[in-house]
Amino acid sequence: MAGNSFGQAYRITTFGESHGGAVGVVIDGATPGVDISTADIQEQLDRRKPGQSSITTSRTEPDTVHILSGIFEGKTTGTPIIMILYNADADPSAYDEIKDKFRPGHADYTYLQKYGIRDWRGSGRASGRETSGRVAAGALARKILEARGVRVLAYTKRSAGIECVDFVPEEIENNPLRACDPVAAERMLEKINAIKDIEDSVGGVIECRISGIPAGLGEPVFDKLDAELAHAMLSIGSVKGIEFGAGFAAAEMTGSQHNDQLDESGFQTNNAGGIIGGISTGEEILFRIAVKPTSSIARAQQTVDITGAPQTIRTEGRHDACICPRIVPVVEAMTCLVLLDHTKRQHAMHA
Amino acid sequence: MAGNSFGQAYRITTFGESHGGAVGVVIDGATPGVDISTADIQEQLDRRKPGQSSITTSRTEPDTVHILSGIFEGKTTGTPIIMILYNADADPSAYDEIKDKFRPGHADYTYLQKYGIRDWRGSGRASGRETSGRVAAGALARKILEARGVRVLAYTKRSAGIECVDFVPEEIENNPLRACDPVAAERMLEKINAIKDIEDSVGGVIECRISGIPAGLGEPVFDKLDAELAHAMLSIGSVKGIEFGAGFAAAEMTGSQHNDQLDESGFQTNNAGGIIGGISTGEEILFRIAVKPTSSIARAQQTVDITGAPQTIRTEGRHDACICPRIVPVVEAMTCLVLLDHTKRQHAMHA
Amino acid sequence: MAGNSFGQAYRITTFGESHGGAVGVVIDGATPGVDISTADIQEQLDRRKPGQSSITTSRTEPDTVHILSGIFEGKTTGTPIIMILYNADADPSAYDEIKDKFRPGHADYTYLQKYGIRDWRGSGRASGRETSGRVAAGALARKILEARGVRVLAYTKRSAGIECVDFVPEEIENNPLRACDPVAAERMLEKINAIKDIEDSVGGVIECRISGIPAGLGEPVFDKLDAELAHAMLSIGSVKGIEFGAGFAAAEMTGSQHNDQLDESGFQTNNAGGIIGGISTGEEILFRIAVKPTSSIARAQQTVDITGAPQTIRTEGRHDACICPRIVPVVEAMTCLVLLDHTKRQHAMHA
Amino acid sequence: MAGNSFGQAYRITTFGESHGGAVGVVIDGATPGVDISTADIQEQLDRRKPGQSSITTSRTEPDTVHILSGIFEGKTTGTPIIMILYNADADPSAYDEIKDKFRPGHADYTYLQKYGIRDWRGSGRASGRETSGRVAAGALARKILEARGVRVLAYTKRSAGIECVDFVPEEIENNPLRACDPVAAERMLEKINAIKDIEDSVGGVIECRISGIPAGLGEPVFDKLDAELAHAMLSIGSVKGIEFGAGFAAAEMTGSQHNDQLDESGFQTNNAGGIIGGISTGEEILFRIAVKPTSSIARAQQTVDITGAPQTIRTEGRHDACICPRIVPVVEAMTCLVLLDHTKRQHAMHA
């Protein structure tokens, strides 16, 4: 009922606040007998960690993962796997400014409304640091999927008003935006740095492609593959929308334009984005998500405090001018969680 | 694991194929003691039924609901409520054309891939008729919510390239598009009829507004209110995308533009669409979904049959040239399911 | 959250009150492609139906099952299967006596306490008739399991103070008690009829044996196979206890007596009852349940009415003097549900 | 699907092996704003820890709990609470004897059958040490329940053939058996020490009483309160049976003897054990569980190794001659989990 678990057959539960003792994840339902090392997990976590470039926060967080159960002699045992990242000692006085004021765009106000109590150190549970657990659990799912030929690739498609023109997958990890077009990436970087200088921030569009997935995954009528991916993506902070295949452009097309016709070599087009009737077609799965601009900006904003009195707030500190490159590994991780979960569910259906 | 249930505390399970014995729903977790009549349910079903205008199918389906359990002397008892709509006897020979051919844009191919067997009468389980159960269950949820001041209103925002300019809620049920602008509706109707004449179809954008919802609903970090609404909407056939508040436009904004600042009267703007950190803010919740054009078109299309041999197919018959007006009540129903479920979950959290 | 569903991968939801419109079940997660007929289901329902002998109720209920979805051309399709049994028109005036009085041993009082409202026609949702849905869903599970060599056999072990001495499986369906010893059955019948004559009732002990189940089923640490079977059995009305293998007698043994030692031919004994650490060993699974005497007796009893005023009540009518023989098929059905669900879960674990 | 979570609205997930890095629990759904300290949790863990008397193991395990999330300034925040107990460095060579041999009565064989891989250090996941997480999560549930007047009390009712005659609740924590009768406890202790001297072990019967629980808890028809308690209890290692109220003795009674009649002061008897129709009556809830003798005995036993070859095994070391006193706090903890979960579920039902 409370919502800190995701998935059914490969089920994760994340825990932790940004300035409590630790963040992490418990995985239940990991396939037994899979080779996995701490390094496999750490590799993905390092893609999400702060301090990777001028446009992401320079905060230093101890992002070292510790695996304390469920792995024996380098293999999964089928029992729950806990992966934990301890937090460094934080100076709570650093949060005096935000203790009693609601930061615009942040979940400060809504958490207090929901729970009647709020951990005001950093963003508490609503911190992006929570996604570490997702990335860690996704890294194991990814390893299992990759061994079966599945590839999940996300990248920044658009940011600061600049769109990628080329698609050069091997360049994605070589630019600070994780954009799929190195030229566009260069221009994005320049523009974002300029926006950062005037104490502002940007968002963007992230695209994700999945190849190698067999036809038949997805559980109609409610747990359709696209419905579950949408659930997964909208559960990531800052994500405000998702579209599959032609997406919102489909609303402008006619049936004869949009329908993917078939011939003996398969589907001739892929407007559907690889999912029809909520079930994978075997074609590439393609979706895009909208990422809002980072809420934390140094610029003065109007707000109220917990008594309702008007206040001015400036969220000082080291923030991400554009969060897209750090969301990319989270998108991939959540995608892997959905895909492995549905692989297992499809096996259960046919057992 | 199989995906025919939705919700946790107000949980529904739908059943039925378009040409089997019946379609319907079982509701588990209905608040006991609520006044409800068959007419309350039928009213919503009638909004979804075929034959409402020239742009929707003229098929006649017996859409009469029967409630067989869980209601006693006009009140819910807290036990499961089954609502069932019997199917009329169908002539299976009407499906000879599609028995062995995959209709482009339909789930024929993917159902066969998933299950290894396919009910080829109509669209089987993938038929829009399945949503009757959702609408029926949503009608009860709506009644409970409305008694608490919640209002859920969906409408066609855009179709056939025409966008509503005005927002005139009282006109929505007065035009065949269920558009919020009667002038735009007129133009949409004209254009869709023209497209229908050339054996084609259109989609559109549906917008949904929720008012009267208290702050605090939504279950971070995975069952955020927007994540659950996205799950609900993408589980509806033909829906290819969703966006909240500013949505994809947020990806083009800066933080200082997008952040909703607060003063003593509350939020000054609502770019967030009424949900921050996955929790309702108490402002109006606003989202839009992309609806693809109806897959069934009479125009000849290329496809293959179950042996993989190329075929031409024409989906003759009485189809919806634009499905938007019939999806509107489904959007509202699924929204009501999410809202009541989360209301109950919030009560459980605080118990 | 409400509790009308059982199982995860093979999940059933039952609905219906004894004197509402119908009772039945929706199955989600049925393996697709399985041959199944209405007769397969009806056969099991007929074992549960009233009127089979002098010691069970002579009430006539229309126990004819109708399958309205999820089966196509004699095979399961993987979509939800609804099986429904319509109720005959009941004369509500027959319930005037119990409308306002709580019958001792019945759930009248607790349902009113829980829900604040009560369907007082018969036992409403708490009627044994609800188990029809379980038996129907179990009949399909049984068919799938039997094709894999699994056999589930329950029988009355003890009733009216008489215990079966012999175990003659082929005699179980040949006596009205469904006892495993025809001689004991004869004596039970005689004694129960005598007790019935003095307007009283009895209970008994039912034993269940499962053979052919592979080692490895059960999901530690909470969904152990015995924990799930216990859950299943205690969810059946009138069941007050369960024990596995040596059961309560194990509490009197020493470790050296109780431990099942192994040699090259396997386990030398089966005190564990075929489950160790919550996982099937591959040996026969054996458990026993305690069934309380039928609550409905014609003898005058003290009770109160809904105002709290003392009343005398006589539950007239045609009751089961011993419910054991009619619970036997329910025990088998619930067992099959657990076994198929766990078979599917084990497949998901290893996928 | 994998079974390491328990509960729905107050949901726990345990993790950890006896000789991995740690054991512990994540709680999701804790009521926010509840005062809780590490000492409150430690107090219950200390009742379960080894080394409390001559009849329980003298192994020293570091049973110190660390709470790393979900608590802020001494109060629950409604976010997941992780409680972790680190394991001391173990000497794996201590397990050479059991690495390749299956210990009779232990889950060594079944875990290997289920998962195809086994952590052979100690009992791995099947270790009683796993229950630490349950006790920790139960301690918080207990605190919430106690503030509402609920009392949960378990104790050894019978062991080594000796039954408690008196019920002296205040003596339970004063004897090493946690028996409710100090005289019987004395005799049990003597007898168990004698059995221990001959390298054997015993089990027993534990009884649990719950007072102060309101009428109306339990979710028919599957998640009846007794069904859920049975599930909870059978999920504890070594438990082989459960009975409620009169239990198996009910099978020997007539309806007129067993039915609990009512008068204006309530129920006159409590043969039902406080639950009728799966819903609490408001009377004391009473159940008993059968605990098998400890499987680890130093006496030589026959077994096979992983190649199937016959072997003799002696489980040397410091074992519990009687595990009952250490299971008592686990029984109480699991009971508290069920009761709080159902309290929350009842609130959701009526929301």
Side-chain angles (χ1 to χ4, degrees):
Chain A
M1 295 270 299
N4 294 286
S5 297
F6 187 80
Q8 295 190 14
Y10 184 80
R11 184 171 180 85
I12 71 163
T13 304
T14 70
F15 57 85
E17 283 79 34
S18 59
H19 291 81
V23 295
V25 67
V26 178
I27 303 166
D28 200 16
T31 313
V34 173
D35 289 307
I36 190 79
S37 69
T38 301
D40 292 326
I41 308 301
Q42 192 66 51
E43 180 188 349
Q44 292 301 320
L45 285 168
D46 287 347
R47 296 176 66 211
R48 199 212 67 86
K49 77 174 176 192
Q52 299 178 62
S53 81
S54 64
I55 60 163
T56 56
T57 173
S58 57
R59 242 181 351 236
T60 47
E61 289 170 343
D63 255 0
T64 309
V65 67
H66 301 267
I67 306 178
L68 300 181
S69 70
I71 313 279
F72 180 58
E73 298 186 330
K75 286 185 195 298
T76 56
T77 61
T79 60
I81 300 170
I82 180 163
M83 301 182 181
I84 192 164
L85 293 83
Y86 298 102
N87 293 330
D89 288 331
D91 172 14
S93 71
Y95 298 98
D96 279 354
E97 169 72 3
I98 61 172
K99 182 178 172 183
D100 296 326
K101 293 181 192 171
F102 304 122
R103 291 169 297 164
H106 279 277
D108 303 346
Y109 174 78
T110 50
Y111 265 66
L112 188 59
Q113 289 291 319
K114 177 171 190 61
Y115 299 107
I117 182 174
R118 178 169 76 92
D119 181 344
W120 42 258
R121 297 168 302 174
S123 293
R125 181 73 181 141
S127 166
R129 186 160 167 76
E130 176 272 328
T131 61
S132 301
R134 308 180 184 207
V135 171
L140 172 56
R142 175 195 290 262
K143 196 154 190 220
I144 297 171
L145 291 165
E146 284 185 348
R148 299 172 189 176
V150 179
R151 289 290 175 276
V152 174
L153 184 70
Y155 45 86
T156 301
K157 173 80 172 174
R158 180 178 175 91
S159 184
I162 297 154
E163 181 133 357
C164 290
V165 179
D166 291 333
F167 174 61
V168 194
E170 57 277 16
E171 285 297 328
I172 293 168
E173 292 296 315
N174 293 336
N175 69 77
L177 264 302
R178 289 204 169 85
C180 61
D181 175 342
V183 178
E186 198 71 37
R187 292 178 51 217
M188 288 176 192
L189 185 64
E190 206 172 310
K191 191 145 172 208
I192 295 169
N193 275 322
I195 287 168
K196 183 185 167 193
D197 286 345
I198 55 168
E199 303 187 323
D200 216 336
S201 65
V202 299
V205 173
I206 291 172
E207 191 167 70
C208 184
R209 293 170 186 247
I210 306 161
S211 61
I213 204 77
L217 295 197
E219 295 293 336
V221 294
F222 293 110
D223 295 348
K224 290 174 170 170
L225 195 59
D226 38 2
E228 295 259 286
L229 285 167
H231 189 146
M233 293 306 134
L234 269 295
S235 80
I236 303 172
S238 301
V239 176
K240 299 303 288 182
I242 188 167
E243 56 178 7
F244 291 84
F248 275 86
E252 311 300 315
M253 298 164 80
T254 64
S256 63
Q257 292 165 336
H258 185 269
N259 280 348
D260 298 312
Q261 299 184 46
L262 292 100
D263 59 24
E264 52 270 83
S265 58
F267 289 93
Q268 299 170 11
T269 51
N270 190 12
N271 287 314
I275 301 171
I276 299 184
I279 300 170
S280 60
T281 62
E283 300 295 302
E284 184 182 65
I285 294 174
L286 183 78
F287 63 84
R288 279 170 301 282
I289 59 170
V291 178
K292 72 171 186 179
T294 312
S295 299
S296 295
I297 52 174
R299 196 177 285 204
Q301 297 177 91
Q302 292 181 44
T303 191
V304 295
D305 62 24
I306 53 174
T307 71
Q311 297 284 351
T312 296
I313 193 166
R314 301 173 64 96
T315 314
E316 311 279 3
R318 297 155 298 178
H319 305 297
D320 298 87
C322 176
I323 196 70
C324 289
R326 294 183 64 204
I327 286 189
V328 162
V330 183
V331 168
E332 291 180 1
M334 292 303 299
T335 301
C336 290
L337 295 178
V338 171
L339 295 176
L340 182 54
D341 189 50
H342 276 270
T343 300
K344 287 174 172 280
R345 290 169 75 172
Q346 171 74 344
H347 273 79
M349 168 63 74
H350 283 277
Chain B
M1 297 272 299
N4 294 285
S5 296
F6 187 80
Q8 295 191 13
Y10 184 81
R11 184 170 180 85
I12 71 164
T13 303
T14 70
F15 56 86
E17 282 80 34
S18 60
H19 292 80
V23 295
V25 67
V26 179
I27 304 166
D28 200 15
T31 313
V34 173
D35 290 307
I36 190 79
S37 69
T38 301
D40 292 326
I41 309 301
Q42 193 65 52
E43 180 188 350
Q44 292 301 321
L45 285 168
D46 288 347
R47 297 177 65 211
R48 198 209 70 84
K49 75 174 176 192
Q52 298 178 62
S53 80
S54 65
I55 59 165
T56 56
T57 173
S58 57
R59 241 183 352 238
T60 47
E61 288 169 346
D63 256 0
T64 309
V65 68
H66 301 267
I67 306 179
L68 300 181
S69 69
I71 312 278
F72 181 59
E73 300 186 327
K75 287 185 195 296
T76 56
T77 61
T79 61
I81 300 169
I82 180 163
M83 300 181 181
I84 193 164
L85 294 82
Y86 298 102
N87 293 330
D89 287 332
D91 171 15
S93 70
Y95 298 97
D96 279 353
E97 168 72 3
I98 62 173
K99 183 178 172 182
D100 296 325
K101 294 181 193 171
F102 303 122
R103 291 168 297 164
H106 279 276
D108 303 345
Y109 174 77
T110 51
Y111 265 67
L112 188 59
Q113 289 290 320
K114 177 171 190 63
Y115 299 108
I117 182 173
R118 179 170 76 92
D119 181 345
W120 43 256
R121 298 167 302 173
S123 294
R125 180 74 181 141
S127 165
R129 185 159 168 77
E130 174 272 329
T131 61
S132 301
R134 308 180 185 208
V135 171
L140 172 56
R142 175 195 289 261
K143 194 150 193 221
I144 297 172
L145 291 165
E146 283 185 349
R148 299 170 189 178
V150 179
R151 289 289 174 280
V152 173
L153 184 71
Y155 45 85
T156 301
K157 173 81 172 172
R158 181 177 173 92
S159 184
I162 296 153
E163 180 134 357
C164 291
V165 180
D166 290 333
F167 174 61
V168 195
E170 57 277 16
E171 287 296 326
I172 294 169
E173 292 296 315
N174 293 337
N175 68 77
L177 264 303
R178 288 203 170 86
C180 62
D181 174 343
V183 178
E186 199 71 36
R187 293 176 50 216
M188 288 176 192
L189 186 64
E190 207 172 310
K191 192 148 171 205
I192 295 168
N193 275 322
I195 288 169
K196 184 186 168 191
D197 287 345
I198 55 168
E199 303 186 324
D200 216 335
S201 64
V202 299
V205 173
I206 291 172
E207 190 165 73
C208 184
R209 295 172 185 243
I210 307 161
S211 61
I213 204 77
L217 294 198
E219 294 292 336
V221 293
F222 293 110
D223 294 349
K224 291 173 170 171
L225 195 58
D226 37 3
E228 295 259 286
L229 286 166
H231 189 146
M233 294 306 134
L234 269 295
S235 80
I236 303 172
S238 303
V239 177
K240 299 301 288 182
I242 188 169
E243 58 178 6
F244 291 84
F248 275 86
E252 310 301 314
M253 297 163 81
T254 64
S256 63
Q257 291 165 338
H258 185 269
N259 281 348
D260 298 313
Q261 301 183 45
L262 293 101
D263 58 24
E264 48 279 75
S265 58
F267 289 94
Q268 298 170 10
T269 51
N270 189 14
N271 286 314
I275 301 172
I276 299 183
I279 301 169
S280 60
T281 61
E283 300 294 304
E284 184 182 65
I285 294 175
L286 183 77
F287 63 84
R288 279 170 301 282
I289 59 170
V291 177
K292 73 172 185 179
T294 311
S295 299
S296 295
I297 52 174
R299 195 176 285 205
Q301 297 177 91
Q302 293 180 44
T303 190
V304 295
D305 62 25
I306 54 174
T307 71
Q311 298 284 351
T312 296
I313 192 166
R314 301 173 63 96
T315 314
E316 310 278 2
R318 296 155 298 177
H319 305 297
D320 298 270
C322 177
I323 196 69
C324 289
R326 292 182 66 206
I327 287 190
V328 162
V330 183
V331 168
E332 291 180 1
M334 292 302 298
T335 301
C336 290
L337 294 178
V338 170
L339 294 176
L340 182 55
D341 189 50
H342 275 270
T343 300
K344 287 174 172 281
R345 292 169 75 173
Q346 171 75 344
H347 273 79
M349 168 63 75
H350 283 278
Chain C
M1 297 269 298
N4 293 286
S5 296
F6 187 79
Q8 295 190 14
Y10 184 81
R11 184 170 180 86
I12 72 163
T13 303
T14 70
F15 56 86
E17 282 79 35
S18 59
H19 292 80
V23 296
V25 69
V26 179
I27 303 167
D28 200 16
T31 314
V34 173
D35 289 308
I36 190 79
S37 70
T38 301
D40 292 327
I41 309 301
Q42 192 66 51
E43 180 188 350
Q44 292 301 320
L45 285 168
D46 287 348
R47 296 176 67 212
R48 198 211 69 85
K49 77 174 176 191
Q52 298 177 62
S53 81
S54 65
I55 60 164
T56 56
T57 173
S58 57
R59 242 184 347 241
T60 47
E61 289 169 345
D63 256 358
T64 309
V65 68
H66 302 267
I67 307 179
L68 301 181
S69 70
I71 312 277
F72 181 59
E73 298 186 329
K75 286 185 195 297
T76 56
T77 61
T79 60
I81 300 169
I82 180 163
M83 301 182 181
I84 192 163
L85 294 83
Y86 297 103
N87 292 331
D89 288 331
D91 172 14
S93 70
Y95 297 97
D96 279 354
E97 168 74 2
I98 62 171
K99 182 178 173 184
D100 296 325
K101 293 181 192 172
F102 303 122
R103 292 169 297 164
H106 279 277
D108 303 345
Y109 174 78
T110 51
Y111 265 66
L112 188 59
Q113 289 291 319
K114 176 171 190 61
Y115 299 107
I117 182 174
R118 179 169 77 91
D119 181 344
W120 42 257
R121 297 168 301 173
S123 294
R125 180 73 181 142
S127 166
R129 184 159 166 76
E130 175 272 328
T131 61
S132 301
R134 308 181 184 208
V135 171
L140 172 56
R142 175 196 289 260
K143 196 154 189 220
I144 297 172
L145 291 164
E146 283 185 349
R148 300 172 190 177
V150 179
R151 289 290 175 277
V152 174
L153 184 71
Y155 44 86
T156 301
K157 174 79 172 176
R158 182 177 173 91
S159 183
I162 296 155
E163 181 134 356
C164 290
V165 179
D166 289 334
F167 174 62
V168 195
E170 57 276 17
E171 287 296 328
I172 293 169
E173 291 296 314
N174 293 336
N175 68 77
L177 265 301
R178 290 204 168 84
C180 61
D181 174 344
V183 179
E186 198 72 37
R187 292 176 52 217
M188 289 176 191
L189 186 64
E190 205 172 310
K191 192 148 170 206
I192 295 169
N193 275 321
I195 288 169
K196 183 186 169 193
D197 287 345
I198 55 167
E199 304 187 321
D200 216 336
S201 65
V202 300
V205 173
I206 291 171
E207 191 166 72
C208 183
R209 294 172 186 245
I210 307 162
S211 61
I213 204 79
L217 295 197
E219 296 292 335
V221 295
F222 293 109
D223 294 348
K224 291 173 171 172
L225 195 58
D226 38 1
E228 296 259 287
L229 286 166
H231 188 146
M233 293 306 134
L234 269 294
S235 79
I236 304 171
S238 301
V239 176
K240 299 302 288 181
I242 188 168
E243 58 178 7
F244 292 83
F248 276 86
E252 311 300 313
M253 297 163 81
T254 65
S256 63
Q257 292 165 338
H258 185 269
N259 281 347
D260 298 313
Q261 300 184 45
L262 293 100
D263 58 25
E264 46 285 69
S265 59
F267 289 94
Q268 299 170 10
T269 51
N270 189 14
N271 286 314
I275 301 172
I276 299 184
I279 301 170
S280 60
T281 62
E283 299 295 304
E284 184 182 65
I285 295 175
L286 183 79
F287 63 85
R288 279 171 302 281
I289 59 170
V291 178
K292 73 173 186 178
T294 311
S295 299
S296 295
I297 52 174
R299 194 177 286 203
Q301 296 176 92
Q302 292 182 42
T303 190
V304 295
D305 61 26
I306 53 173
T307 72
Q311 298 284 350
T312 296
I313 193 166
R314 300 172 65 97
T315 315
E316 310 279 3
R318 299 154 298 177
H319 304 296
D320 297 88
C322 177
I323 196 70
C324 289
R326 293 183 64 206
I327 286 190
V328 161
V330 183
V331 168
E332 291 181 1
M334 292 303 299
T335 300
C336 290
L337 295 178
V338 170
L339 294 176
L340 182 55
D341 189 51
H342 276 271
T343 300
K344 287 174 172 280
R345 291 170 74 172
Q346 171 74 343
H347 273 80
M349 168 63 75
H350 283 277
Chain D
M1 298 269 298
N4 294 286
S5 296
F6 187 80
Q8 295 191 13
Y10 185 80
R11 184 169 180 85
I12 72 164
T13 304
T14 70
F15 57 86
E17 282 80 34
S18 61
H19 292 80
V23 295
V25 69
V26 178
I27 303 166
D28 199 16
T31 313
V34 173
D35 290 306
I36 190 78
S37 69
T38 301
D40 292 326
I41 309 302
Q42 193 65 53
E43 179 188 350
Q44 292 301 320
L45 285 168
D46 287 349
R47 296 177 66 211
R48 198 210 69 85
K49 76 174 176 191
Q52 298 178 62
S53 81
S54 65
I55 60 166
T56 56
T57 173
S58 58
R59 241 183 350 239
T60 47
E61 289 168 346
D63 256 359
T64 309
V65 68
H66 301 266
I67 306 178
L68 300 182
S69 70
I71 312 276
F72 181 59
E73 299 187 328
K75 286 185 196 298
T76 56
T77 61
T79 61
I81 300 169
I82 180 163
M83 301 181 181
I84 193 164
L85 293 83
Y86 298 103
N87 292 331
D89 288 333
D91 172 14
S93 70
Y95 297 98
D96 279 353
E97 168 73 5
I98 63 172
K99 182 178 173 182
D100 296 326
K101 294 181 192 172
F102 303 121
R103 292 167 298 163
H106 279 276
D108 303 345
Y109 174 77
T110 51
Y111 266 65
L112 189 59
Q113 290 290 320
K114 177 172 190 62
Y115 299 107
I117 182 174
R118 178 170 76 93
D119 181 345
W120 42 257
R121 298 167 302 174
S123 294
R125 180 74 181 142
S127 165
R129 184 160 168 76
E130 175 272 329
T131 60
S132 300
R134 308 179 184 210
V135 171
L140 172 55
R142 175 195 289 261
K143 195 151 191 222
I144 296 171
L145 291 165
E146 284 185 350
R148 299 170 189 178
V150 179
R151 290 289 174 278
V152 174
L153 183 71
Y155 44 86
T156 301
K157 173 80 173 174
R158 181 177 173 93
S159 184
I162 297 154
E163 180 134 355
C164 290
V165 180
D166 291 333
F167 174 61
V168 194
E170 57 277 16
E171 285 297 326
I172 294 169
E173 291 297 314
N174 293 336
N175 69 77
L177 265 302
R178 289 203 169 87
C180 62
D181 174 341
V183 178
E186 198 72 36
R187 293 176 50 216
M188 289 176 191
L189 185 64
E190 207 171 310
K191 194 149 170 205
I192 295 168
N193 275 321
I195 287 168
K196 182 186 169 192
D197 286 346
I198 55 168
E199 303 187 322
D200 217 335
S201 65
V202 299
V205 173
I206 291 172
E207 190 166 75
C208 184
R209 294 172 186 243
I210 307 162
S211 61
I213 205 77
L217 295 197
E219 295 292 336
V221 293
F222 294 109
D223 294 349
K224 290 173 171 173
L225 194 58
D226 38 2
E228 295 260 286
L229 286 166
H231 189 147
M233 293 307 134
L234 269 295
S235 80
I236 304 171
S238 303
V239 176
K240 300 301 288 182
I242 188 169
E243 57 178 7
F244 291 84
F248 276 86
E252 310 301 314
M253 298 162 80
T254 64
S256 64
Q257 292 165 337
H258 185 269
N259 280 348
D260 299 311
Q261 300 184 46
L262 293 101
D263 59 24
E264 52 272 79
S265 58
F267 288 93
Q268 298 170 12
T269 51
N270 189 13
N271 286 313
I275 301 173
I276 298 182
I279 301 170
S280 60
T281 62
E283 300 295 301
E284 184 182 64
I285 294 174
L286 183 78
F287 64 84
R288 280 170 301 282
I289 60 170
V291 177
K292 74 172 184 177
T294 311
S295 299
S296 296
I297 53 174
R299 196 177 284 205
Q301 297 176 91
Q302 293 181 44
T303 190
V304 295
D305 61 25
I306 53 174
T307 71
Q311 298 284 351
T312 296
I313 192 166
R314 300 173 64 97
T315 315
E316 310 278 3
R318 298 155 297 176
H319 304 296
D320 297 88
C322 177
I323 196 68
C324 289
R326 292 183 65 205
I327 286 190
V328 162
V330 183
V331 168
E332 291 180 1
M334 293 302 298
T335 300
C336 290
L337 295 178
V338 170
L339 295 176
L340 182 55
D341 189 50
H342 276 270
T343 300
K344 287 175 172 281
R345 292 169 74 171
Q346 171 75 344
H347 272 79
M349 168 62 75
H350 283 278

